[in-house]
Amino acid sequence: MHTEPRPIEHQQADAKQLESSFKVACSNCNLRELCLPIGLSSNEMQQLDGMVATRKKIKQGGHLYSSGDAFTMLYAIRTGFFKTCVVSEDGREQVTGFQMAGEIMGLDGIVSDKHNCNAIALEDAEVCVMPFNHVEDLSRQIPMLQRHVHKIMSREIVRENGVMMLLANMRAEERLAAFLLNLLQRLHARGYSKSELILRMTREEIGSYLGMKLETVSRTFSKFSEEGIIEVKQKNIRILDHDKLKAIFNASTC
Amino acid sequence: MHTEPRPIEHQQADAKQLESSFKVACSNCNLRELCLPIGLSSNEMQQLDGMVATRKKIKQGGHLYSSGDAFTMLYAIRTGFFKTCVVSEDGREQVTGFQMAGEIMGLDGIVSDKHNCNAIALEDAEVCVMPFNHVEDLSRQIPMLQRHVHKIMSREIVRENGVMMLLANMRAEERLAAFLLNLLQRLHARGYSKSELILRMTREEIGSYLGMKLETVSRTFSKFSEEGIIEVKQKNIRILDHDKLKAIFNASTC
DNA sequence: ACGGCTACTTGATGCACATCAAATGGATAG
DNA sequence: CTATCCATTTGATGTGCATCAAGTAGCCGT
């Protein structure tokens, strides 16, 4: 899939890569506080620049990797927005996460040398491609990097613990509130507004992630809207009452 | 809790530790195929023996660690059975996993240097205590160990992906079937029967893990029993029709 | 053996969300 | 500009599981 030859774009990519061989280095990347190189000395940072083998553009709807693919690379998102999803034997799809700039993808593949989920771009995206072998090599040389890799994996484990709590214990309104607050917080860390966001995913994808049907997602948005908590215009969400959203999230007591 | 002094046992433990300072080494542990030292040379294995600082016994119901505790150690289960659970702000408890011999606990603490969940023994247990700093040091020296640590964390991520699928998409019967099959498979890898198991956890704990109420767990057990799929005697479960269990697990189509 | 405890089972009822169905509205291609 | 498509909204109805309630059975310490 998506293997149509696009020679022109390839040429552009090559040119860009040459032209900006240091501009796009980790040591210079404006995501460096979010991405792998956090907390490294400038010396170590430069060692790290070699970690990114290439960069890769993914069109909206394109697969960064698919379940079953051989695992050799980790990916750091430079721009764009992804979802990851697993598919059960009988074809049911479960969105396991949404990823944005600075986040690392591909960790699911380490255990079995095969990817365990599909990673699909929800908008045109670009990622840094990092051979995992190389990450491991550098990790052995740079303890700070080693620690950071461990933290990234641990963070993912903890995140999923939270999702389990959400799926097992919370009601539709709580789930959606938690989802919005989580997105807002992550976007805020990237310099976006705390009171506005654009959903890059459909109601169905939100529903899959939150364990509810798209109709229920829609209804819950409408309910929040009627209650003056948010304003919904298609994929554009404006937060009118951040506190009330938090209250819904925290409260079984309501 | 469980802090009553037991000097005699302590003496025994001390004696045992001295007497068997190599018997209990990783290089000699009968869990070595399941636990951290998988695939190491005997030389590397001996390096690893120093990784386990001490061992620790936990009484049934005791906490190995609690949410908020400082994180410094990983734990490898030698004997016994644990649950891990997170507690939300409003006090709802969510069991995030059940762990048995050879499995590693504590990974949730790496990201924030604090544990993010409670680890509670469901029966008397013993664990190997491994200072995480030491694990990291050795990982830098032994690439095979480094890889294995990464795989363990990745495995946990993938496992949780599966739980998300289960919680979001499956019905009560499918969840319980999946749960039983998973336990059976893991016990089988440890030399236990494929057709019999003893549940170390209560119906309520199963329910928490699977996102259903204890009454529903009980009813579903009863249903499986009526259908001749399993035999339930308290915590003892005998599998009468493994295939049918698998069919329930796989099938929305039923 | 006894009382008290906790875990579990089973039944009756209610509700949150799924399902089914239809209408609306943006977006896009011709 | 219009036709088509897909995402979304909204309404009507159904259902799987939660909730409430009561009873049973092991288990533990005395």
Side-chain angles (χ1 to χ4, degrees):
Chain A
M1 64 203 70
H2 299 285
T3 51
E4 71 280 7
R6 302 209 299 357
I8 293 168
E9 180 168 348
H10 274 262
Q11 281 167 23
Q12 288 178 335
D14 290 344
K16 208 190 247 171
Q17 214 162 348
L18 290 173
E19 143 205 17
S20 58
S21 60
F22 93 77
K23 264 203 215 157
V24 302
C26 289
S27 52
N28 230 17
C29 177
N30 60 3
L31 291 174
R32 67 183 173 279
E33 296 302 323
L34 292 165
C35 178
L36 272 176
I38 199 167
L40 300 184
S41 71
S42 64
N43 194 2
E44 291 168 335
M45 196 81 96
Q46 275 171 15
Q47 272 190 274
L48 209 71
D49 289 345
M51 192 167 72
V52 175
T54 64
R55 286 179 293 128
K56 187 173 176 182
K57 291 179 195 239
I58 312 284
K59 282 267 169 205
Q60 183 173 50
H63 284 236
L64 177 57
Y65 54 82
S66 302
S67 191
D69 285 358
F71 163 80
T72 55
M73 307 291 183
L74 293 181
Y75 305 94
I77 304 174
R78 277 180 59 84
T79 60
F81 206 97
F82 286 85
K83 68 170 176 180
T84 48
C85 50
V86 294
V87 179
S88 71
E89 306 184 17
D90 60 335
R92 280 176 284 188
E93 177 176 302
Q94 171 64 30
V95 174
T96 56
F98 298 106
Q99 293 81 21
M100 58 180 73
E103 296 179 335
I104 306 296
M105 305 187 69
L107 301 169
D108 57 278
I110 299 171
V111 62
S112 59
D113 296 314
K114 277 186 203 157
H115 283 289
N116 181 66
C117 60
N118 301 319
I120 298 169
L122 297 179
E123 58 180 357
D124 291 1
E126 188 177 20
V127 299
C128 295
V129 180
M130 304 179 289
F132 184 58
N133 284 334
H134 202 159
V135 174
E136 288 193 315
D137 290 346
L138 273 175
S139 287
R140 289 199 298 277
Q141 294 162 38
I142 310 176
M144 200 74 187
L145 175 63
Q146 180 192 37
R147 171 58 59 102
H148 199 57
V149 169
H150 290 154
K151 287 200 184 226
I152 284 168
M153 300 190 78
S154 178
R155 177 176 300 121
E156 180 65 5
I157 291 170
V158 168
R159 179 189 74 84
E160 293 193 1
N161 282 346
V163 177
M164 287 172 64
M165 162 70 82
L166 185 143
L167 289 172
N169 280 312
M170 294 187 181
R171 288 174 308 98
E173 290 177 37
E174 301 176 70
R175 292 181 201 191
L176 195 62
F179 171 73
L180 288 174
L181 288 168
N182 175 268
L183 275 188
L184 282 169
Q185 173 242 307
R186 286 156 67 203
L187 288 168
H188 187 60
R190 284 156 182 79
Y192 292 96
S193 164
K194 249 182 164 165
S195 63
E196 234 170 325
L197 76 165
I198 298 173
L199 300 172
R200 302 299 176 178
M201 68 295 285
T202 66
R203 303 289 189 261
E204 186 167 17
E205 286 161 338
I206 296 171
S208 172
Y209 183 60
L210 297 178
M212 49 209 251
K213 294 292 138 178
L214 70 93
E215 293 94 330
T216 306
V217 175
S218 178
R219 271 184 248 272
T220 308
F221 271 133
S222 298
K223 180 140 188 284
F224 285 175
S225 183
E226 284 161 26
E227 288 171 349
I229 299 170
I230 63 175
E231 196 179 289
V232 182
K233 266 201 198 117
Q234 297 288 117
K235 307 241 179 194
N236 301 281
I237 309 288
R238 179 191 299 273
I239 310 301
L240 302 175
D241 192 338
H242 201 275
D243 292 341
K244 213 181 264 181
L245 209 55
K246 262 191 194 152
I248 290 170
F249 166 52
N250 285 328
S252 60
T253 45
C254 68
Chain B
M1 60 199 72
H2 300 285
T3 52
E4 69 282 8
R6 302 210 297 3
I8 293 170
E9 181 167 345
H10 273 263
Q11 280 166 24
Q12 288 178 337
D14 290 345
K16 209 189 251 174
Q17 213 161 350
L18 291 171
E19 144 205 16
S20 58
S21 61
F22 92 77
K23 265 202 216 158
V24 301
C26 289
S27 51
N28 228 18
C29 177
N30 60 5
L31 291 174
R32 67 183 173 281
E33 296 302 323
L34 291 166
C35 178
L36 271 176
I38 200 168
L40 301 184
S41 72
S42 63
N43 195 2
E44 291 168 334
M45 197 81 97
Q46 276 170 16
Q47 273 190 275
L48 209 71
D49 289 346
M51 193 168 70
V52 175
T54 64
R55 286 181 293 126
K56 186 173 176 181
K57 290 180 194 234
I58 312 282
K59 282 270 169 202
Q60 183 174 50
H63 285 235
L64 176 58
Y65 54 82
S66 302
S67 191
D69 285 358
F71 163 79
T72 55
M73 307 291 183
L74 292 181
Y75 305 93
I77 303 175
R78 277 178 60 83
T79 61
F81 205 97
F82 286 84
K83 70 170 175 179
T84 47
C85 51
V86 293
V87 178
S88 72
E89 306 185 15
D90 60 335
R92 280 177 283 188
E93 180 176 298
Q94 171 64 30
V95 173
T96 56
F98 297 107
Q99 293 81 20
M100 57 180 73
E103 296 179 335
I104 306 296
M105 305 187 69
L107 301 170
D108 57 279
I110 299 171
V111 61
S112 58
D113 296 314
K114 277 187 202 160
H115 282 290
N116 181 65
C117 61
N118 301 319
I120 297 169
L122 296 179
E123 58 181 359
D124 291 0
E126 189 178 20
V127 299
C128 295
V129 180
M130 305 178 289
F132 184 58
N133 283 336
H134 203 161
V135 174
E136 288 193 315
D137 290 346
L138 274 174
S139 286
R140 288 199 300 275
Q141 293 162 38
I142 310 174
M144 201 72 186
L145 175 63
Q146 179 193 35
R147 172 58 61 105
H148 199 55
V149 169
H150 290 155
K151 286 200 186 227
I152 284 170
M153 300 189 79
S154 178
R155 177 176 299 119
E156 180 66 6
I157 291 169
V158 169
R159 180 188 74 82
E160 294 193 0
N161 282 347
V163 176
M164 286 171 65
M165 162 70 82
L166 184 142
L167 290 172
N169 280 314
M170 295 188 180
R171 288 175 307 100
E173 289 178 37
E174 299 176 72
R175 293 182 200 191
L176 194 63
F179 172 74
L180 289 174
L181 289 168
N182 176 267
L183 275 187
L184 283 169
Q185 173 242 306
R186 285 156 67 201
L187 288 168
H188 188 60
R190 284 156 183 79
Y192 292 97
S193 165
K194 249 183 165 166
S195 63
E196 234 169 327
L197 77 163
I198 297 174
L199 300 172
R200 301 300 176 175
M201 67 296 284
T202 66
R203 304 287 189 264
E204 186 167 18
E205 286 161 338
I206 297 171
S208 172
Y209 183 60
L210 297 178
M212 49 208 251
K213 294 290 137 177
L214 69 94
E215 293 95 329
T216 307
V217 174
S218 178
R219 271 183 248 272
T220 309
F221 271 133
S222 298
K223 179 141 189 282
F224 284 175
S225 183
E226 283 160 25
E227 288 170 351
I229 300 171
I230 64 176
E231 196 180 288
V232 182
K233 268 202 197 114
Q234 298 288 118
K235 305 241 179 193
N236 301 283
I237 309 286
R238 180 191 298 275
I239 310 300
L240 302 176
D241 192 338
H242 202 275
D243 291 341
K244 212 181 268 183
L245 210 53
K246 261 190 198 153
I248 289 171
F249 166 53
N250 286 328
S252 58
T253 47
C254 72

